[in-house]
Amino acid sequence: QQKVQQSPESLIVPEGGMASLNCTFSDRNSQYFWWYRQHSGEGPKALMSIFSNGDKKEGRFTAHLNKASLHVSLHIKDSQPSDSALYFCAVVDSNYQLIWGSGTKLIIKP
Amino acid sequence: GPKVLQIPSHQIIDMGQMVTLNCDPVSNHLYFYWYKQILGQQMEFLVNFYNGKVMEKSKLFKDQFSVERPDGSYFTLKIQPTALEDSAVYFCASSSLAGGQNTLYFGAGTRLSVL
């Protein structure tokens, strides 16, 4: 059974700083990885996906995947107050099911 | 972007009553999902639905739960009877294709309070 764990549980970053969120998974056959973001009072929204080892950059957001170490991370450069949200890592397992982590609460302090 | 609409946004009912949560998925999507979230924590998968049938369901999808989408109208989650532990925010999602590698589009959720 795939386990997806996120760290830290919560994170406070000053405005303009770099936020780094981590996610580990247990199934070595996992192929596809998502970051979803949920603002308060809303549903989650897909931020980006990654499936190849290495970095994938979209604007201020960079996802990094290392399948050998069972680790995926999200880095947010030049953090803005609007980036304050709950961030979920979700991993597609060998049955093509999406397994969610428990989330990291990110607070950007002006 | 594509929008999923959920009605109502908040529902308060007494334990033992029936409740129906409604979802209007993205118009050309074929795959529909319900998730449960308690206190802004983990998203817990309940069920997915395609072509009039339940494709997958989790242990959280109790016998008291049912889903349907009659004649392309709302995709609904019915709970009958409700229990105190059903209090949560329920999110509907839809996708155009099957499989976790496809983007899920979520509604804003229905907050269910069972008293």
Side-chain angles (χ1 to χ4, degrees), chain A residues 61-83:
Chain A
F61 299 85
T62 300
H64 176 79
L65 176 61
N66 184 330
K67 290 183 191 176
S69 60
L70 303 174
H71 182 257
V72 60
S73 57
L74 178 70
H75 306 275
I76 308 172
K77 192 174 73 167
D78 187 24
S79 297
Q80 304 296 307
S82 58
D83 294 328

Side-chain angles (χ1 to χ4, degrees), chain A residues 51-63:
Chain A
F51 57 87
S52 297
N53 277 328
D55 290 338
K56 180 180 179 182
K57 187 179 177 190
E58 291 186 2
R60 296 184 295 109
F61 299 85
T62 300

Side-chain angles (χ1 to χ4, degrees), chain A residues 28-41:
Chain A
R28 291 195 173 275
N29 294 318
S30 302
Q31 295 294 323
Y32 215 88
F33 307 84
W34 285 96
W35 285 99
Y36 277 79
R37 179 166 76 176
Q38 184 182 23
H39 284 111
S40 182

Side-chain angles (χ1 to χ4, degrees), chain B residues 28-86:
Chain B
N28 60 344
H29 284 185
L30 301 175
Y31 297 86
F32 313 120
Y33 309 79
W34 284 104
Y35 280 82
K36 178 180 180 182
Q37 187 180 43
I38 296 177
L39 293 175
Q41 294 177 20
Q42 189 160 7
M43 295 293 287
E44 296 181 293
F45 169 76
L46 289 175
V47 66
N48 65 23
F49 188 86
Y50 167 72
N51 198 26
K53 294 178 195 157
V54 170
M55 302 302 289
E56 302 268 355
K57 60 184 180 180
S58 73
K59 287 182 292 189
L60 294 177
F61 194 77
K62 303 179 295 185
D63 291 342
Q64 297 90 325
F65 288 31
S66 62
V67 290
E68 62 176 356
R69 192 187 189 204
D71 297 327
S73 61
Y74 286 144
F75 174 51
T76 62
L77 173 65
K78 186 186 292 186
I79 310 174
Q80 181 178 30
T82 50
L84 293 176
E85 61 264 26
D86 297 330

Side-chain angles (χ1 to χ4, degrees), chain A residues 32 34 36 38 41-46 86 88 92 96-98 100-102, chain B residues 35 37 40-43 45 48 56 91 99-104 106-108:
Chain A
Y32 215 88
W34 285 96
Y36 277 79
Q38 184 182 23
E42 299 179 9
K45 187 174 177 182
L86 186 57
F88 289 106
V92 181
Y96 302 102
Q97 294 299 313
L98 200 57
W100 294 72
S102 54
Chain B
Y35 280 82
Q37 187 180 43
Q41 294 177 20
Q42 189 160 7
M43 295 293 287
F45 169 76
N48 65 23
E56 302 268 355
F91 289 97
Q101 67 270 30
N102 295 288
T103 304
L104 290 180
F106 285 87

Side-chain angles (χ1 to χ4, degrees), chain B residues 10-17 19 79 81-88 90 111-115:
Chain B
H10 194 181
Q11 180 92 45
I12 302 173
I13 58 167
D14 291 323
M15 183 177 65
Q17 284 192 315
V19 69
I79 310 174
T82 50
L84 293 176
E85 61 264 26
D86 297 330
S87 294
Y90 290 84
R111 180 175 298 277
L112 177 65
S113 299
V114 181
L115 306 179

